[in-house]
Amino acid sequence: MKKLILSVDTGIDDALAIAYAAGQQEMELIGLTVSYGMSTVENTYRNTRKFAELIGLTVPVYMGSSKPMVRPGRDYRTTGSRIHGRDGMANMFGEHVPEDIEGAVPEEAIDYIIESVHRYGKDLVLVTTGPMTDLAKVIKKDPKVMEKIGAIYSMVGALAAPGNVNPYMEANAGMDPEAVKFVLESDPPLTVIGLDVTRKTLMSLEDLKRWQEIGTERSGFLSGCVEFYLDAYRVMHPYLKGCALHDPLAVGAALHPEWIHTVPMHLTCVTEGEADGRTCEDLSRCDDPVYHSAGALFVDSKAFEKHFFDTVERVLRG
């Protein structure tokens, strides 16, 4: 059985991805790595550990990067996510306390990913659903891992669709465009699961009501987070009939690549000017016929959504 590492910045849709990965039976989830993103790394690490404990998931959690590679980090004291809340989890956990990060080793995630690649080789699949900072540091520290790993699926970018931060930029890419550029131009065996497909997979108010009726502590907590998420989507993305399952789809694509249609391409990320943060084709490599990366442009949303809801609802029932 293939091994799965999930690299998150736990927010609400990361929590959905964790629950999905925890309940699926196609791969063995062996660890979670956590960076800054939806909140400080201390909060996202705490969010991940507490949520994993709540759903009965017993895998190690490793702390990753606290800020982007080049740019100054976001000041989370004054800037909270309008979609995920100041703590990243609909303000249900609040600010971390020292006990929440006891035993955490800064950037331990980088070494854990490298060691796992060398241990499992092509049997290892990495899914990233947050900033690409940790993955960039992995490649910088040990470039050979890209030749040894089985596959990478990353929720990042928007190839043919508009961004969700501005017309060009998707949120994960915007967290650290330099890291995205470095990773994509390193020619990894990576599939971009961007807004082109994630916006086509939705959780609706009817789905939320079904979760609320389950009646467990797990379902109550996650339902509260999703309710916050849906309320934000109704204001910020009223054209969608629910909230997008961005991060869970990256997990779903890793489990069932047949659900997505991809186009092989050499990819890069713009790091300056009006299109800063845009993921796109690397025109400097148009004449290179060897492709290792691909972009997802279509998804079988019905197949994915059925598997996602069936799987997560089993987890929520406990």
Side-chain angles (χ1 to χ4, degrees), residues 202-213:
L202 299 173
M203 180 168 183
S204 68
L205 181 60
E206 289 71 27
D207 297 317
L208 172 62
K209 290 178 179 177
R210 192 170 64 250
W211 285 13
Q212 290 170 329
E213 292 171 358

Side-chain angles (χ1 to χ4, degrees), residues 132-180:
M132 288 190 126
T133 313
D134 284 353
L135 182 53
K137 290 180 179 179
V138 165
I139 298 171
K140 281 180 176 289
K141 189 167 186 177
D142 187 353
K144 294 292 185 181
V145 298
M146 291 298 96
E147 300 172 9
K148 297 180 178 181
I149 196 168
I152 305 169
Y153 292 82
S154 292
M155 196 282 114
V156 67
L159 299 175
N164 56 359
V165 175
N166 60 40
Y168 301 103
M169 182 188 290
E170 178 274 327
N172 283 338
M175 288 283 180
D176 193 348
E178 284 76 17
V180 177

Side-chain angles (χ1 to χ4, degrees), residues 13 53 71 75 240 247 309:
D13 58 335
E53 180 181 0
R71 304 186 188 199
D75 185 352
L240 293 177
D247 295 347
F309 287 114

Side-chain angles (χ1 to χ4, degrees), residues 80-258:
S81 171
R82 290 175 292 174
I83 292 182
H84 298 267
R86 187 173 296 278
D87 67 351
M89 289 295 280
N91 302 318
M92 295 182 74
F93 284 152
E95 191 64 23
H96 77 281
V97 296
E99 291 79 11
D100 290 329
I101 59 171
E102 187 174 357
V105 178
E107 299 203 2
E108 186 179 25
I110 287 86
D111 287 331
Y112 170 69
I113 293 171
I114 292 171
E115 291 164 4
S116 297
V117 173
H118 285 289
R119 180 176 181 181
Y120 296 110
K122 297 298 182 183
D123 286 331
L124 181 68
V125 176
L126 174 66
V127 174
T128 75
T129 63
M132 288 190 126
T133 313
D134 284 353
L135 182 53
K137 290 180 179 179
V138 165
I139 298 171
K140 281 180 176 289
K141 189 167 186 177
D142 187 353
K144 294 292 185 181
V145 298
M146 291 298 96
E147 300 172 9
K148 297 180 178 181
I149 196 168
I152 305 169
Y153 292 82
S154 292
M155 196 282 114
V156 67
L159 299 175
N164 56 359
V165 175
N166 60 40
Y168 301 103
M169 182 188 290
E170 178 274 327
N172 283 338
M175 288 283 180
D176 193 348
E178 284 76 17
V180 177
K181 177 180 174 68
F182 177 79
V183 170
L184 295 181
E185 292 183 1
S186 297
D187 219 15
L190 185 149
T191 301
V192 166
I193 306 298
L195 299 179
D196 308 88
V197 286
T198 63
R199 286 193 182 117
K200 296 180 175 71
T201 61
L202 299 173
M203 180 168 183
S204 68
L205 181 60
E206 289 71 27
D207 297 317
L208 172 62
K209 290 178 179 177
R210 192 170 64 250
W211 285 13
Q212 290 170 329
E213 292 171 358
I214 292 174
T216 62
E217 182 182 6
R218 301 173 181 186
S219 66
F221 177 83
L222 197 53
S223 294
C225 292
V226 171
E227 186 172 15
F228 184 98
Y229 200 47
L230 279 166
D231 287 344
Y233 259 80
R234 276 193 288 270
V235 174
M236 298 179 68
H237 305 291
Y239 52 89
L240 293 177
K241 297 178 181 179
C243 56
L245 295 170
H246 299 296
D247 295 347
L249 181 59
V251 175
L255 301 176
H256 288 278
E258 71 274 12

